[in-house]
Amino acid sequence: MSKLEHAAGTASGGPNGTEKVVVTEKEAGRVAFASFVGTALEWYDYYLFGTAAAIVFNRLYFTSLNPTAATLAAFATFGVGFVARPVGAVIFGWLGDRIGRRPALLITVVLIGVATGLIGLLPGYAAIGIAAPLLLVLLRLLQGIAVGGEWGGAVTLAVEHAPPAKRGRYAALPQVGSPVGTLLSSGAFSLVLLLPKDSFDSWGWRLPFLAAFPLLLVAVYIRRKVEESPLFEELLKQDERAKIPAVDVFRTAWRRLLVAITSALLGVGGFYIMTTFVISYGADTLGLSRSLMVNATLVAAVFQIAVILYMGRVAERIGPGRVTLWGGAATALLAFPLFWLIDTKSPLLVVFAVALGIAVLSVAYAVSGALLTELFPAHLRYSGVALAYNLAGALTGFLPFVATALLDTSGGASWPVSLLLAALALLTALGGFLGERMRVKDNVATAA
């Protein structure tokens, strides 16, 4: 019998032994909180780039291009981070499945914090010429590599510490890091956008990036206190670790990987359509203020937190795959109405559309951690989850670029972007439908 078959069984103990691995709810809560803090910092750093790509980098780092080409170049740079994420998934997946979940997460949080802070120190095109966009791409690549290992490790650690019946809620906590990161990054940009335009362009936009340095110290302090996964410690005892986890994922669990990628598409790609692209679309195409568009994402993030926490509990009752199916179907139905509301140019309706769009796609995103971790056995989990999520990111990271190109070819009409969002949502619904039928169970017991 293969390791995959052993891990999928519910009668064998440990990952592949005779005794159950025991977890405690107290430790689960502490680990989930630490995972949340780390992912909040990671997404704060990562989302800063998305917002800056829409309103800063096109003007300061690609000044030799016409406005449309500059925006496309900025979004292409934004997408480079997604291409790098599978590389990070392989590197940190190996580290997490061979050495430990905890050290992998400490390294990722340091790497992205340093890369983000350095962006705040990077001179513009006017100062150093072509070196400016090249260095920007390099730092974005480092961000992508770090994020490629971060999210998969955070949800893996949170789930493996959690009682089996309560995995949905604990897996949802790292997901809350996404809207909190949005609140922090959009809030920071909302504040610096209050500065005069010249001050904002010369130094104001840099402040949110430089804030990554002190935030990094907080995240490292909290993460150092986290205990290693009890399931991984059992793997160490029984020497059940994969030698090259990424290879084993592609060789023995490729069907699970495909389903996991499909189920994660909307939570990654749909989010960037409704944030990074919509900010640019509202400001550059519809002529709405940049502050309005950024503030709309702030309002949306508040609703997103509530949706994530609630859906984590729902997943415990009906299964994360079914929640993903519902979330994908609902987003597909709303794809066209959302952009019709944005096209009215009414500030109130624009804010409502962005908030509703992000809230509904967050139904599927809320349970991605719970679903993906239960699609892979313990000895391949970090690598499998990280690869699935970040390959989904690589496939959808250029969607703001694609959406902008579609907008340009359609003469400014938004319907091709709505169609793109609907197609993405239907693929995710399919992933949820299949994923619910492929979940594996760890033999874990909760301490009294």
Side-chain angles (χ1 to χ4, degrees):
M1 184 178 288
S2 70
K3 288 180 179 179
L4 181 61
E5 291 169 324
H6 272 304
T10 58
S12 61
N16 186 16
T18 58
E19 295 182 2
K20 286 180 179 290
V21 172
V22 178
V23 297
T24 65
E25 192 156 0
K26 180 179 179 180
E27 182 66 15
R30 194 159 66 88
V31 170
F33 176 73
S35 296
F36 153 72
V37 171
T39 53
L41 171 62
E42 297 275 358
W43 292 127
Y44 166 78
D45 293 347
Y46 208 63
Y47 293 160
L48 279 180
F49 200 103
T51 304
I55 61 178
V56 176
F57 294 152
N58 57 332
R59 296 182 295 108
L60 300 185
Y61 287 86
F62 301 97
T63 55
S64 62
L65 304 174
N66 66 59
T68 299
T71 299
L72 287 171
F75 282 160
T77 305
F78 171 77
V80 161
F82 289 91
V83 175
R85 281 167 59 168
V87 177
V90 172
I91 295 171
F92 291 106
W94 177 87
L95 184 63
D97 283 330
R98 288 290 304 173
I99 310 300
R101 291 30 169 152
R102 182 176 177 271
L105 286 176
L106 283 171
I107 295 172
T108 59
V109 79
V110 171
L111 182 59
I112 194 170
V114 171
T116 302
L118 290 177
I119 290 174
L121 298 173
L122 185 64
Y125 187 92
I128 59 174
I130 191 65
L134 291 177
L135 289 172
L136 186 66
V137 170
L138 174 62
L139 292 172
R140 181 59 172 175
L141 283 170
L142 292 177
Q143 276 193 328
I145 290 171
V147 170
E150 161 62 26
W151 183 87
V155 297
T156 294
L157 200 62
V159 164
E160 291 186 343
H161 274 281
K166 296 183 179 180
R167 282 184 166 183
R169 70 191 67 183
Y170 289 115
L173 276 178
Q175 302 297 77
V176 175
S178 173
V180 169
T182 300
L183 284 170
L184 291 174
S185 61
S186 295
F189 260 102
S190 292
L191 289 175
V192 295
L193 280 169
L194 297 175
L195 294 168
K197 187 177 185 300
D198 289 344
S199 298
F200 173 80
D201 285 349
S202 62
W203 55 268
W205 71 267
R206 300 179 182 276
L207 298 180
F209 285 91
L210 294 173
F213 287 130
L215 290 173
L216 170 61
L217 297 178
V218 175
V220 170
Y221 174 77
I222 293 174
R223 282 224 166 142
R224 286 188 62 195
K225 296 180 176 294
V226 171
E227 297 293 331
E228 183 56 86
S229 158
L231 278 168
F232 180 79
E233 290 179 339
E234 188 67 20
L235 288 173
L236 283 176
K237 291 177 186 177
Q238 299 178 19
D239 196 22
E240 286 290 318
R241 294 168 297 164
K243 291 183 179 180
I244 309 177
V247 172
D248 283 358
V249 169
F250 284 106
R251 182 173 57 85
T252 66
W254 61 270
R255 291 182 181 86
R256 295 176 179 276
L257 180 64
L258 288 177
V259 170
I261 291 170
T262 305
S263 71
L265 290 174
L266 179 62
V268 184
F271 180 83
Y272 287 113
I273 289 176
M274 290 304 302
T275 54
T276 302
F277 169 74
V278 165
I279 288 173
S280 174
Y281 175 62
D284 298 337
T285 302
L286 300 182
L288 299 168
S289 74
R290 290 179 293 176
S291 294
L292 171 67
M293 302 310 300
V294 172
N295 288 336
T297 65
L298 283 173
V299 174
V302 175
F303 287 98
Q304 189 181 17
I305 292 172
V307 169
I308 289 173
L309 293 175
Y310 178 71
M311 287 301 162
R313 300 294 184 99
V314 172
E316 293 172 357
R317 298 196 300 270
I318 68 172
R322 291 189 182 90
V323 174
T324 302
L325 171 62
W326 292 357
T331 305
L333 288 173
L334 288 173
F336 283 88
L338 289 172
F339 277 91
W340 293 340
L341 290 172
I342 293 171
D343 288 342
T344 66
K345 301 184 185 180
S346 164
L348 183 62
L349 292 179
V350 168
V351 172
F352 174 74
V354 173
L356 177 61
I358 292 176
V360 73
L361 67 86
S362 294
V363 172
Y365 177 75
V367 299
S368 282
L371 180 59
L372 267 61
T373 50
E374 292 191 340
L375 279 173
F376 299 96
H379 70 288
L380 299 178
R381 181 164 289 143
Y382 197 129
S383 295
V385 171
L387 279 168
Y389 189 75
N390 292 294
L391 285 171
L395 291 170
T396 60
F398 286 93
L399 285 184
F401 175 92
V402 173
T404 301
L406 289 173
L407 195 68
D408 189 52
T409 57
S410 67
S414 64
W415 67 264
V417 182
S418 299
L419 189 61
L420 181 66
L421 179 60
L424 202 67
L426 291 175
L427 284 172
T428 292
L430 175 62
F433 175 79
L434 297 174
E436 185 63 31
R437 287 152 179 76
M438 299 172 68
R439 293 165 62 197
V440 300
K441 292 184 179 180
D442 298 311
N443 202 24
V444 175
T446 307

